[in-house]
């Protein structure tokens, strides 16, 4: 069979990234230009600044990626692009670059949903086994997805308000940690004790999540401690918050596996890098005979390789777009 080389382009938030992936699993080259330092001083991503940075970076990132892979555009089979969801201005920059390359080099254009990308980041390490449940937890999403086979997605539930990564970043801000605070809260929690009492979010039988109440509870707790002249013990707050979050997510994930009689679990998205979440799910999966896999740390947060990997399977299913393809800030995973 002829090898398939997909160029993946990702620009949905604050990372400009291009990758070349062979046959949906072998990463030949990945270049990521992150804007984290630029947005950190604002406490979060500023959409207008993000789009301008993508404009500045995209051609350099693309050139460097081709050089790293020692390939020419003529050797690329097809171009996969994150068309959505994400920040509309940011998405448009990647999309215009992809469309231009598709037009000039006469290459098929493959639209990839950002969540499909996160899910297929797993395929860069271990070939996906079906049927599976995917737990997608990132700065913008918290979803449980059932997959019967490659590129078939059934959303079982998701967040009704804030995404879990967003919540991590907000809690970090409360204790004075700059954006994105998720990784720092994760580290702090490991040395703290879960001594603060926090509410358990949406403790019901559904596959949905709700984290805004928990976020408000942390903000109120910090405020009350200050009013009482007491020092907030950051490590303990991080541990208390993280324990509630990980328990809630793990419980619903294990329920989905049981209800759907599935014994493959994958996790995806920035929060999939979380140490406690990985440990807890690994333990529960071992106890319940579930095969648990997760992406390498470098493929958890946004990157072009996950888009190229997903693009390979979309391409195989004939999901090709024409040059009328538009970005969508919101779209159902399908
Ligand atoms: O997937 P991603 O790069 O962007 C979106 O698609 O949203 O995820 C970024 C999010 C941020 O909110 C960041 O704080 C969070 O993932 N994150 C973590 C960890 N590493 C990244 N949250 C908890 N623990 C971590 N170790
Ligand atoms: Zn993402």
């Amino acid at each position: 069979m002829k090898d398939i080389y997909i160029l993946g382009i990702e620009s949905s938030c604050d990372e400009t990234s291009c990758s070349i992936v062979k046959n949906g699993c072998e990463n030949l080259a990945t270049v990521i230009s992150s804007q984290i330092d630029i947005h950190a001083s604002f406490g979060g991503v500023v959409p207008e600044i993000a789009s301008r940075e993508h404009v500045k970076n995209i051609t350099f990132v693309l050139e460097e990626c081709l050089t790293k892979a020692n390939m020419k555009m003529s050797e690329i089979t097809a171009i996969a692009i994150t068309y959505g969801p994400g920040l509309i201005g940011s998405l448009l920059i990647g999309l215009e670059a992809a469309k231009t390359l598709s037009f000039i080099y006469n290459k098929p254009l493959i639209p990839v949903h950002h969540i499909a990308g996160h899910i297929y980041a797993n395929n860069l390490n271990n070939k996906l086994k079906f049927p599976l449940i995917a737990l997608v937890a990132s700065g913008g999403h918290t979803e449980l997805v059932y997959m019967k086979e490659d590129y078939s997605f059934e959303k079982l539930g998701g967040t009704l308000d804030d995404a879990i990564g967003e919540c991590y970043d907000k809690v970090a801000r409360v204790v004075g940690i700059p954006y994105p605070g998720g990784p720092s809260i994760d580290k702090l929690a490991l040395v703290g004790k879960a001594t603060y009492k926090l509410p358990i979010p949406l403790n019901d039988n559904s596959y949905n999540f709700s984290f805004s109440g928990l976020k408000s509870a942390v903000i109120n707790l910090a405020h009350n401690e200050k009013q009482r002249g007491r020092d907030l013990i950051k490590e303990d707050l991080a541990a208390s918050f993280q324990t509630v979050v990980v328990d809630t997510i793990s419980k619903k994930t294990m329920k989905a596996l049981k209800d759907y009689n599935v014994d493959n679990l994958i996790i995806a998205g920035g929060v999939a890098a979380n140490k406690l979440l990985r440990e807890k799910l690994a333990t529960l999966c071992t106890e319940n005979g579930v095969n648990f896999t997760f992406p390498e740390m470098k493929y958890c947060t946004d990157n072009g390789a996950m888009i190229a990997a997903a693009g390979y399977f979309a391409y195989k299913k004939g999901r090709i777009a024409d040059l009328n393809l538009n970005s969508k800030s919101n779209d159902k995973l399908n």
Side-chain angles (χ1 to χ4, degrees):
M1 214 179 68
K2 210 167 153 247
D3 287 326
I4 292 176
Y5 297 91
I6 306 282
L7 167 67
I9 303 177
E10 158 64 37
S11 71
S12 66
C13 191
D14 57 348
E15 264 99 24
T16 320
S17 179
C18 289
S19 299
I20 297 168
V21 170
K22 184 177 162 186
N23 299 330
C25 57
E26 196 183 327
N27 176 38
L28 300 184
T30 289
V31 178
I32 305 175
S33 168
S34 175
Q35 306 171 13
I36 282 180
D37 294 345
I38 296 168
H39 298 287
S41 56
F42 299 97
V45 178
V46 183
E48 183 58 30
I49 296 177
S51 342
R52 286 169 192 269
E53 286 300 311
H54 286 305
V55 173
K56 273 198 238 162
N57 296 333
I58 188 80
T59 44
F60 296 110
V61 169
L62 173 68
E63 262 181 354
E64 198 183 324
C65 178
L66 287 163
T67 308
K68 237 174 144 178
N70 195 21
M71 286 181 81
K72 295 197 250 351
M73 271 310 294
S74 57
E75 293 168 294
I76 298 291
T77 314
I79 301 158
I81 174 69
T82 310
Y83 73 93
L87 300 172
I88 196 70
S90 293
L91 287 163
L92 279 167
I93 311 305
L95 181 71
E96 283 312 312
K99 281 199 212 176
T100 308
L101 292 168
S102 161
F103 178 70
I104 296 173
Y105 295 99
N106 195 22
K107 302 288 177 189
L109 185 66
I110 313 162
V112 172
H113 191 285
H114 186 73
I115 294 294
H118 274 303
I119 288 174
Y120 274 94
N122 281 276
N123 207 68
L124 296 162
N125 303 94
N126 302 292
K127 200 156 174 26
L128 298 188
K129 290 196 193 96
F130 299 99
L132 64 78
I133 296 286
L135 166 66
V136 184
S138 72
H141 307 269
T142 311
E143 288 177 17
L144 279 167
V145 179
Y146 170 77
M147 288 177 77
K148 190 166 94 229
E149 58 189 20
D150 261 319
Y151 236 76
S152 131
F153 309 101
E154 187 190 330
K155 182 176 161 181
L156 305 182
T159 180
L160 303 175
D161 39 59
D162 297 346
I164 187 60
E166 192 184 336
C167 216
Y168 261 95
D169 297 338
K170 192 37 130 337
V171 169
R173 208 162 145 178
V174 169
V175 296
I177 295 167
Y179 170 84
S184 311
I185 293 287
D186 189 8
K187 281 198 201 101
L188 269 183
L190 296 177
V191 293
K193 288 195 188 73
T195 50
Y196 290 108
K197 203 166 162 34
L198 292 169
I200 299 181
L202 200 65
N203 191 16
D204 65 1
N205 265 334
S206 76
Y207 304 115
N208 289 327
F209 303 98
S210 167
F211 294 110
S212 69
L214 177 63
K215 182 181 80 181
S216 303
V218 171
I219 295 169
N220 289 341
L221 194 146
H223 181 74
N224 290 341
E225 290 294 276
K226 197 173 168 197
Q227 295 258 310
R228 290 181 186 131
R230 292 204 292 245
D231 284 337
L232 197 64
I233 306 164
K234 290 181 185 181
E235 296 79 5
D236 291 354
L237 183 65
S240 308
F241 167 75
Q242 178 144 290
T243 304
V244 172
V245 164
V246 170
D247 282 353
T248 306
I249 300 185
S250 308
K251 196 175 150 208
K252 295 214 168 183
T253 304
M254 296 315 288
K255 179 177 170 359
L257 285 157
K258 194 163 172 257
D259 292 353
Y260 280 75
N261 197 19
V262 168
D263 56 12
N264 293 300
L265 172 68
I266 60 169
I267 53 171
V271 184
N274 189 270
K275 201 158 179 286
L276 187 68
L277 181 65
R278 286 180 177 220
E279 278 172 14
K280 172 107 188 180
L281 286 175
T283 306
L284 289 171
C285 285
T286 307
E287 284 168 12
N288 290 279
V290 173
N291 165 44
F292 174 47
T293 50
F294 37 82
E296 246 182 272
M297 288 296 191
K298 64 179 178 195
Y299 298 131
C300 284
T301 45
D302 295 351
N303 63 84
M306 66 185 203
I307 303 304
Y312 169 82
F313 293 94
Y315 178 71
K316 290 228 136 186
K317 287 223 161 177
R319 295 200 185 197
I320 313 287
D322 62 24
L323 293 178
N324 289 318
L325 178 67
N326 211 345
S327 301
K328 287 187 179 169
S329 56
N330 240 316
D331 199 31
K332 195 172 160 270
L333 172 63
N334 67 52

